[in-house]
Amino acid sequence: LTQTNPAINTAWETASAIERDLNFALTVRDNAFGGGQVTSDVVNVRVSNAAGPFLVSSQSSVETYSAGSLQTVIWEVANTDISPINAQFVDIYLSLDGGQSFPILLAEKAANDGEHEVLLPGTASTEARFMVKGYQNIFFAVNSTDFVIEEVPFVLQFDDLAFDVCQPVDKVFPFVLETYGGFGEEVTFSANGVPPGLGVSFLPGTATANNTPVDITISNTTAVTEGFYPIQIIGTAPSYSKEVTIMLNVFDTDFPEVTLLGPADAAFDIALKPNLSWDTPAINNAYQVEIATDAGFASVIETATVIFKNYIPENLLPETTYFWRIKPVTNCGEGIFGTPFSFTTLPVNCKMKSAGDTPVSISSTGTPTVSSTIMVMDDLPIADINVMVNIEHTFLSDLIISLVSPSGTEVILTSNSCSQLENIDAIFDDAAAPFTCNGDPGIGGTVKPLGSLSSLNGESTFGEWTLLVKDTAPADGGIISDFTLEICVEGVFRPDADGDNVFDDGDDLCLGTPPNTEVDVDGCPVYRFDQENFNIVVTSESCITSNDGQIEINATSVLDYTINISGNGVDLSTGFTSFFELRNLSSGTYSACIIGNDGTIFYEEYCFDFVITEPDPLSVLLALDQTGLQATLNLKGSVLYNIELNGILTQTTQSQFTLDLKSGINALKVTGSLPCQGSFEELIVIGTEPLVYPNPFINELELYLPSVSSKVQVSVFNLLGQTLVSNTYQPEDQAISLDLAALPPGVYVLNVTGVGLNYSSKVVKR
């Protein structure tokens, strides 16, 4: 490996996440002059979905440990201890260089139970790592973070931490005193926690030199009963002491019969991979399992040696009676096989199920992922499954095709296979030979998938099965023409002759439904209105708050219909046969549901929402430019706008409109296409001179005084110079409103005086 922790899509290949066979070849060439030779070997690696991920979860952050101390390594077993991996044991190694190499074996053939205590060596390191590896297997895992081993004056180095003691024989086992950093004090050896009557002695009893071998003798072993005994071995020096706990496994010569637990004796309808379990009061190193087809065990069909109190057989046949028994084994001897139990396995039945949603198009645009599904209602464990696929596609290596079970297990059938070849018409079966890419179809016949369909064995059939097709490149498209499953189960399928997924043995009230007919939970046909049966016309309000919206429904088929409409204050239920209308609706959202029947056929409810709208009110925002010579209108609420400026009408459909203004008073009026939307009126004054508007006037007169903010004196004279009106005003927004209704029609003179202001104008009252 040339990379550390290589990531996905980097230069080095990562471990496969797809269940498949990987074939590796190694070739060695001897290029010696005159005698060169070549040899090679091939290794097959099976990637399984049934186990993993196998990983070390302990030592996940930086830790510091003393050399010679006991540490616990924890890992995720992840089903590696059962079929198909069956790794009962693991080896545990230590690296001192950050995982570049693992030269130190800390534990050999430790139980693969997820946790084991190891004794650290005396060598110090700042880059230590643990590796847990399957015993005589290729899979392994390394803890995620370097940890530190600190040097100590001396360690007690044991090759193992558990020792079997066979009564009545004495047991002798060694360890080595290793010293570091020039340590030269005398170390005295002793034991603590020794059961009464058991003898423990050391030879030599003390030591000073590095690498001194020491023997521990366990004597008088019959003084204790069979069992596990932790004992502390202690080395004591004037300035330092070290303690290591070892485990004595004391075995007697009595082997009580193992008690079989399950399956119960003479049980019927047992799965093809049952969990055989047992128990015993004795301690044992292992158990021998025998399975036979006769009570005398003359025809043994499967044997195994396991360390746990359970076993899952691999070779059972359907509808067969088996006998099984267990023999206890220790490192001191073995017992005898106990009384056997028997059980009879379930029958295996097979059934074809085809997708009802084909054909499914695979677009040539982009990189689509499409699927076809099969619903299976039986809830039975799978014994075997084959997949029949017919796919038309113009470039097979674009496709990744997989089967996804209801529980989410994904099995890859093909993955970017067969280059530029076209089409697949194949049966994928684990028992077949691997597919070869050739001709048209590029993959055809009965072939082995890349993944293992057997990883689905034991899962329930119940639920939705999905054929997933991922097109990883654009330009080429195709069709899923057919997707069929051959499902073999442990047990008996419930009858469903019409294939409607409602069982005939009590659930289906309408037997013999035609193929591909939609049915309800009782197996009876579901009738739905034709998509074109209803012509629906919705008319919104003609104007704001007119409440004259309406809905009209014309039905193609003449039936007894019932319609329910609710929403916005309406709650109506009524019948019709071909035409329905509802008037005087206000703006809002309504829900409608229609059912119908012809006396014998009752159609499923058809529901929809509809919206009645009303015109928006007219909205006008006026903005003057910096020169004051142009006005911009921002218009909303109508389709057509009528803009009248100083008596000139312009129509527009634009939402923004610009007007050129004149000096003086500009009268602006804007209306929409509907009178009820309202209007906008504004007087725009351009210039610095006072202005009077309207002139002539009837009763009221507006006086505009640009740039005037202080009080002014306003007087009205007749043509004889007589004062008729005289008042003082404070302009508001540079304007003054004069009520001259008391004056008779005629011609008058208006005079305005103030700070820096003296203005006169002739006005006419009509």
Side-chain angles (χ1 to χ4, degrees):
L1 291 174
T2 57
Q3 290 182 312
T4 301
N5 294 327
I8 294 175
N9 296 326
T10 53
W12 195 261
E13 293 186 19
T14 52
S16 174
I18 299 172
E19 180 160 322
R20 63 192 305 174
D21 284 328
L22 300 175
N23 295 296
F24 295 90
L26 175 67
T27 300
V28 178
R29 294 180 176 87
D30 179 1
N31 294 324
F33 179 76
Q37 298 291 326
V38 175
T39 188
S40 63
D41 197 6
V42 176
V43 174
N44 174 265
V45 176
R46 184 67 176 168
V47 181
S48 173
N49 284 338
F54 183 81
L55 56 87
V56 178
S57 57
S58 60
Q59 289 77 41
S60 59
S61 59
V62 178
E63 303 281 354
T64 299
Y65 304 129
S66 296
S69 64
L70 293 174
Q71 301 301 329
T72 301
V73 182
I74 301 173
W75 64 94
E76 298 290 340
V77 178
N79 292 333
T80 57
D81 58 331
I82 60 176
S83 176
I85 310 300
N86 280 328
Q88 298 275 302
F89 305 99
V90 295
D91 296 330
I92 302 177
Y93 293 87
L94 177 69
S95 170
L96 301 176
D97 55 10
Q100 297 301 308
S101 62
F102 288 86
I104 303 173
L105 178 62
L106 298 179
E108 183 178 17
K109 208 174 180 181
N112 185 16
D113 56 6
E115 184 173 325
H116 194 77
E117 218 172 32
V118 296
L119 179 65
L120 295 180
T123 308
S125 173
T126 58
E127 300 178 303
R129 295 267 188 131
F130 289 127
M131 174 199 284
V132 181
K133 175 181 175 294
Y135 175 71
Q136 294 183 347
N137 213 312
I138 64 170
F139 68 90
F140 65 90
V142 179
N143 73 288
S144 60
T145 305
D146 291 344
F147 58 88
V148 177
I149 300 176
E150 288 187 331
E151 184 179 275
V152 297
F154 68 85
V155 299
L156 309 179
Q157 188 60 54
F158 288 82
D159 288 336
D160 201 352
L161 294 173
F163 301 93
D164 291 341
V165 176
C166 302
Q167 294 177 338
V169 180
D170 292 349
K171 177 72 174 184
V172 179
F173 53 89
F175 69 90
V176 176
L177 173 68
E178 297 179 358
T179 63
Y180 294 87
F183 185 79
E185 298 177 9
E186 183 178 60
V187 179
T188 301
F189 308 114
S190 60
N192 193 19
V194 179
L198 191 69
V200 179
S201 61
F202 298 86
L203 185 66
T206 63
T208 302
N210 180 35
N211 289 328
T212 299
V214 181
D215 286 335
I216 303 176
T217 299
I218 307 297
S219 58
N220 197 26
T221 58
T222 56
V224 297
T225 59
E226 183 179 72
F228 302 109
Y229 297 93
I231 296 177
Q232 294 76 47
I233 304 301
I234 305 169
T236 306
S239 64
Y240 184 76
S241 64
K242 173 63 71 173
E243 176 182 304
V244 175
T245 299
I246 63 171
M247 183 67 70
L248 294 184
N249 307 324
V250 178
F251 296 96
D252 59 23
T253 57
D254 184 24
F255 290 91
E257 182 175 328
V258 172
T259 301
L260 305 186
L261 300 179
D265 191 22
F268 281 87
D269 294 336
I270 301 302
L272 296 181
K273 290 187 177 182
N275 184 20
L276 309 182
S277 62
W278 58 90
D279 201 5
T280 176
I283 61 172
N284 299 298
N285 296 111
Y287 302 90
Q288 288 185 12
V289 183
E290 281 191 350
I291 304 173
T293 54
D294 65 292
F297 286 82
S299 301
V300 175
I301 57 97
E302 189 168 340
T303 62
T305 300
V306 297
I307 61 173
F308 303 112
K309 298 176 184 178
N310 64 284
Y311 177 69
I312 298 177
E314 291 291 315
N315 304 310
L316 303 186
L317 298 176
E319 294 185 281
T320 304
T321 298
Y322 292 98
F323 299 82
W324 64 288
R325 60 185 183 178
I326 304 296
K327 179 169 69 174
V329 178
T330 71
N331 292 335
C332 301
E334 61 182 42
I336 60 172
F337 283 108
T339 304
F341 273 11
S342 70
F343 62 87
T344 302
T345 53
L346 284 161
V348 169
N349 288 278
C350 299
K351 186 176 185 179
M352 307 288 282
K353 292 282 289 185
S354 295
D357 57 2
T358 54
V360 178
S361 176
I362 306 170
S363 175
S364 59
T365 303
T367 56
T369 297
V370 300
S371 63
S372 177
T373 59
I374 295 172
M375 186 67 190
V376 179
M377 299 304 295
D378 289 277
D379 187 3
L380 296 168
I382 293 172
D384 185 36
I385 190 167
N386 299 322
V387 186
M388 280 144 271
V389 175
N390 188 325
I391 295 178
E392 298 175 20
H393 196 274
T394 52
F395 208 90
L396 283 185
S397 65
D398 290 350
L399 302 183
I400 300 175
I401 306 172
S402 59
L403 177 68
V404 183
S405 74
S407 62
T409 303
E410 184 173 1
V411 177
I412 301 296
L413 305 179
T414 72
S415 179
N416 302 118
S417 308
C418 297
S419 188
Q420 77 279 7
L421 294 182
E422 302 180 5
N423 306 328
I424 299 175
D425 187 4
I427 301 172
F428 291 93
D429 184 345
D430 279 349
F435 60 80
T436 56
C437 302
N438 186 31
D440 185 7
I443 301 176
T446 302
V447 298
K448 185 177 183 179
L450 291 181
S452 175
L453 293 168
S454 63
S455 64
L456 302 172
N457 292 355
E459 289 191 13
S460 171
T461 56
F462 176 75
E464 190 172 74
W465 292 80
T466 303
L467 181 72
L468 201 63
V469 179
K470 301 176 183 177
D471 195 333
T472 61
D476 292 278
I479 296 173
I480 303 176
S481 298
D482 181 64
F483 165 42
T484 299
L485 293 177
E486 181 186 23
I487 305 173
C488 297
V489 299
E490 299 177 23
V492 178
F493 286 105
R494 292 181 66 184
D496 182 18
D498 53 12
D500 59 3
N501 285 326
V502 181
F503 300 120
D504 299 346
D505 54 357
D507 296 341
D508 198 336
L509 303 183
C510 299
L511 301 175
T513 305
N516 300 320
T517 300
E518 182 182 358
V519 298
D520 58 20
V521 294
D522 296 321
C524 295
V526 171
Y527 297 96
R528 299 190 185 278
F529 295 117
D530 187 272
Q531 291 184 349
E532 306 298 327
N533 186 62
F534 298 111
N535 180 28
I536 301 171
V537 179
V538 176
T539 305
S540 291
E541 290 189 62
S542 61
C543 216
I544 299 173
T545 67
S546 64
N547 298 335
D548 58 355
Q550 65 181 50
I551 180 173
E552 294 182 357
I553 301 175
N554 283 281
T556 302
S557 299
V558 177
L559 300 171
D560 289 330
Y561 296 103
T562 299
I563 184 169
N564 293 283
I565 297 180
S566 61
N568 208 29
V570 173
D571 188 7
L572 172 70
S573 179
T574 188
F576 68 99
T577 56
S578 62
F579 177 76
F580 168 82
E581 68 173 347
L582 181 62
R583 298 180 179 275
N584 301 321
L585 297 175
S586 60
S587 61
T589 300
Y590 299 83
S591 296
C593 290
I594 304 173
I595 58 175
N597 71 88
D598 65 358
T600 57
I601 295 177
F602 290 80
Y603 290 86
E604 292 295 301
E605 188 176 56
Y606 170 66
C607 294
F608 61 94
D609 292 335
F610 64 94
V611 178
I612 301 292
T613 62
E614 64 179 2
D616 294 326
L618 180 67
S619 172
V620 180
L621 295 178
L622 172 66
L624 298 177
D625 68 356
Q626 293 181 350
T627 67
L629 298 178
Q630 281 190 329
T632 299
L633 305 179
N634 289 291
L635 308 168
K636 291 175 62 177
S638 184
V639 177
L640 177 68
Y641 301 94
N642 303 302
I643 303 172
E644 184 179 349
L645 178 64
N646 301 324
I648 300 174
L649 178 65
T650 304
Q651 292 184 321
T652 183
T653 58
Q654 302 299 313
S655 61
Q656 191 175 80
F657 194 78
T658 301
L659 298 170
D660 292 325
L661 305 177
K662 69 176 184 177
S663 181
I665 296 176
N666 295 267
L668 174 66
K669 182 177 181 179
V670 182
T671 60
S673 56
L674 298 173
C676 63
Q677 292 179 285
S679 63
F680 173 83
E681 297 186 48
E682 187 75 21
L683 292 177
I684 306 170
V685 180
I686 303 298
T688 59
E689 295 296 325
L691 295 171
V692 177
Y693 184 86
N695 193 9
F697 69 95
I698 297 176
N699 289 317
E700 293 185 352
L701 193 64
E702 296 290 331
L703 175 62
Y704 292 94
L705 303 172
S707 305
V708 175
S709 59
S710 60
K711 291 182 179 181
V712 296
Q713 182 72 34
V714 179
S715 302
V716 178
F717 304 93
N718 60 20
L719 295 181
L720 298 177
Q722 296 172 324
T723 302
L724 304 178
V725 175
S726 182
N727 288 305
T728 299
Y729 295 92
Q730 176 66 52
E732 294 183 6
D733 294 329
Q734 300 179 345
I736 297 172
S737 295
L738 302 176
D739 185 359
L740 302 178
L743 297 179
V747 179
Y748 301 91
V749 176
L750 176 71
N751 179 254
V752 183
T753 59
V755 178
L757 175 64
N758 189 356
Y759 169 75
S760 295
S761 175
K762 187 183 290 185
V763 294
V764 178
K765 181 179 180 184
R766 292 178 175 174

